Amino acid sequence: MSPQKYLRYFGLNLNNLFGTQRTKEILSVNPTVLPHREEAAEVEVTVYDYDAANIQVHHFDNVAPCTRFKDDGRIAWINIEGIRKTDVENICNTYNVHPLLIEDILSINQRPKMDEVEGVLFCLLNMLFYNDQKKTVETEQISIVLGKDFAISFQEDAHRDVFDLLRSRLNMSNSKIRQRTADYLLYSMLDLIVDNYFIVMERLGEQIELVEEEVIRRSNTKSLARINQLRKELIVLKRNLAPVRDLVSGIIRSESDLLDDRTTKYFKDVYDHIVQAYDLGENYRDIVLSMQDLYINNVNLKLNEVMKVMAIVTCLLAPATVIGGIFGMNFDIIPYAHHRWGFYFAVVCMFVIPIWMLFVFKRRGWF
């Protein structure tokens, strides 16, 4: 029977045990290969055009109507859900976004980063979600372009994001976001994305606690598989948290005219949150490594227990083996060989000596 069939026979799966498919998903980043992105079947465009007194919300199925919100004297948040190359190029050309930034928006599996190009501030990062069925951390790339009195966000999936609270605040006339400039809108988006990281990490923390209890109670191959899976999900976290920390730090150090000095303290608050999330991720990583060591120690302990029992059994059987071997030799003269009580004497010795050995082992604390 092959190893694969053997593991499946006992309810295990090589893919789950070693995480080969998940590893390919996590590490499938090669900047020398042109990315292939599936064109979105539908595009949903939502525009929040607002100032301190009024707000107008518009919904479109293409980006063509968005041109009228440029330089209209109010702040516009254009949220595009669903990526199509022609739509991205059209709206970026309208708002004077550099072609290099267009390539980043259309790319996939990019490392989070921040750029300032020709009067536009560009942020690319991932939103994180936790899949309860697969117990994996899922990512969705989001690109944000900040310009004078506008912010354009590009999302891949039209059915999920973390901006519901932001939409609610925009509908409140006395909210800070309605009173401030477009850079405060960028802060609000980054703040919600980073805060959602803690929700994902909380779910991972719950899984780590469950696996830790399982490893302590019983260490088996399934426990090792779950430890391996958690380790890979923490890799996803680390690949997103560290670059986002650099992204926010770059915004704080930036001297762009698009950023108001009053908003700097808010970006520092986001920086503090992402540093805290990064430290928490490192703590989780240490815990998982400790669980892996604990699993190995438990396996070695079980092996030592088995070897100790086998050694004791071997020692207990040694006297019987020696006595049987002596009286089984082919010599003509053997003491008590023809004695009427010889057999019984040998059997008694075979039982009494192991019992005495057990007593000695117990007193010395060998088991």
Side-chain angles (χ1 to χ4, degrees):
M1 183 181 291
S2 65
Q4 292 86 348
K5 293 182 180 179
Y6 179 81
L7 289 172
R8 293 192 189 100
Y9 178 78
F10 287 99
L12 301 175
N13 189 311
L14 274 176
N15 189 36
N16 294 333
L17 179 60
F18 300 107
T20 53
Q21 185 60 37
R22 184 60 174 159
T23 303
K24 292 178 181 178
E25 294 175 2
I26 295 174
L27 303 179
S28 60
V29 179
N30 187 352
T32 63
V33 179
L34 293 177
H36 175 69
R37 176 192 289 275
E38 296 291 339
E39 293 283 304
E42 296 180 356
V43 174
E44 297 181 13
V45 181
T46 306
V47 181
Y48 292 84
D49 192 33
Y50 65 93
D51 55 20
N54 300 295
I55 183 172
Q56 296 179 358
V57 182
H58 306 273
H59 299 276
F60 309 109
D61 57 2
N62 61 82
V63 300
C66 297
T67 56
R68 60 189 175 94
F69 300 105
K70 183 181 180 182
D71 300 327
D72 64 350
R74 299 199 292 182
I75 299 174
W77 173 30
I78 304 173
N79 186 39
I80 302 174
E81 298 175 333
I83 305 297
R84 285 197 297 220
K85 183 177 180 180
T86 54
D87 291 333
V88 172
E89 290 176 346
N90 289 338
I91 193 169
C92 287
N93 291 332
T94 300
Y95 285 85
N96 301 321
V97 179
H98 196 274
L100 288 176
L101 301 183
I102 298 177
E103 291 182 8
D104 289 334
I105 296 171
L106 294 174
S107 65
I108 57 176
N109 295 330
Q110 278 277 358
R111 186 179 188 271
K113 62 179 182 177
M114 187 276 294
D115 285 325
E116 296 179 56
V117 182
E118 296 183 358
V120 169
L121 193 146
F122 175 73
C123 297
L124 185 148
L125 66 161
N126 288 320
M127 295 183 289
L128 301 182
F129 304 93
Y130 188 78
N131 190 318
D132 290 314
Q133 284 76 26
K134 298 181 180 179
K135 301 187 184 305
T136 57
V137 178
E138 298 179 349
T139 63
E140 180 185 350
Q141 182 173 296
I142 179 170
S143 304
I144 304 174
V145 177
L146 176 68
K148 181 174 175 54
D149 296 334
F150 73 86
I152 308 174
S153 56
F154 300 88
Q155 302 182 46
E156 298 176 346
D157 193 344
H159 302 289
R160 63 176 183 180
D161 61 24
V162 297
F163 298 139
D164 289 338
L165 183 60
L166 176 58
R167 298 182 180 97
S168 300
R169 291 174 181 173
L170 282 171
N171 290 320
M172 300 169 57
S173 58
N174 59 346
S175 62
K176 285 185 178 181
I177 193 170
R178 291 273 296 274
Q179 315 299 323
R180 300 293 184 90
T181 52
D183 59 335
Y184 193 87
L185 175 63
L186 173 64
Y187 149 74
S188 301
M189 298 171 72
L190 294 178
D191 184 52
L192 290 174
I193 293 173
V194 171
D195 286 348
N196 191 66
Y197 290 170
F198 286 95
I199 298 176
V200 175
M201 298 179 74
E202 182 180 354
R203 305 299 296 276
L204 269 179
E206 294 173 356
Q207 293 298 318
I208 290 174
E209 291 179 2
L210 293 175
V211 175
E212 188 174 20
E213 293 177 0
E214 180 180 342
V215 171
I216 294 174
R217 288 198 306 267
R218 58 184 184 278
S219 296
N220 51 36
T221 313
K222 290 185 178 180
S223 302
L224 179 61
R226 296 189 66 184
I227 293 174
N228 191 46
Q229 183 183 17
L230 286 173
R231 186 171 58 84
K232 294 183 185 303
E233 302 314 313
L234 290 175
I235 291 176
V236 178
L237 277 180
K238 185 174 182 180
R239 286 187 56 186
N240 286 278
L241 295 179
V244 173
R245 180 185 58 181
D246 298 336
L247 182 153
V248 179
S249 176
I251 294 176
I252 295 173
R253 297 194 306 267
S254 175
E255 298 179 357
S256 174
D257 296 334
L258 300 172
L259 300 174
D260 193 340
D261 293 337
R262 296 180 302 170
T263 315
T264 303
K265 59 179 176 290
Y266 295 101
F267 284 111
K268 289 181 179 179
D269 182 66
V270 177
Y271 182 80
D272 292 338
H273 289 176
I274 194 63
V275 169
Q276 182 179 355
Y278 181 81
D279 292 341
L280 183 59
E282 289 296 304
N283 293 338
Y284 282 164
R285 178 175 174 272
D286 293 339
I287 293 174
V288 170
L289 292 177
S290 299
M291 282 195 298
Q292 193 169 0
D293 294 338
L294 178 61
Y295 170 83
I296 296 173
N297 292 335
N298 286 343
V299 171
N300 292 333
L301 181 61
K302 289 181 180 179
L303 179 61
N304 291 338
E305 291 291 334
V306 172
M307 296 300 295
K308 182 169 67 174
V309 171
M310 293 177 65
I312 291 175
V313 172
T314 302
C315 290
L316 296 178
L317 292 178
T321 303
V322 172
I323 294 172
I326 291 174
F327 283 93
M329 292 188 295
N330 295 323
F331 290 105
D332 294 332
I333 301 176
I334 296 178
Y336 299 101
H338 301 288
H339 195 277
R340 60 181 296 186
W341 302 105
F343 170 76
Y344 301 103
F345 177 75
V347 172
V348 170
C349 290
M350 290 180 184
F351 281 98
V352 171
I353 294 176
I355 293 174
W356 174 77
M357 293 174 65
L358 280 174
F359 177 74
V360 173
F361 292 166
K362 184 68 175 178
R363 290 200 60 179
R364 295 192 177 187
W366 290 1
F367 67 93

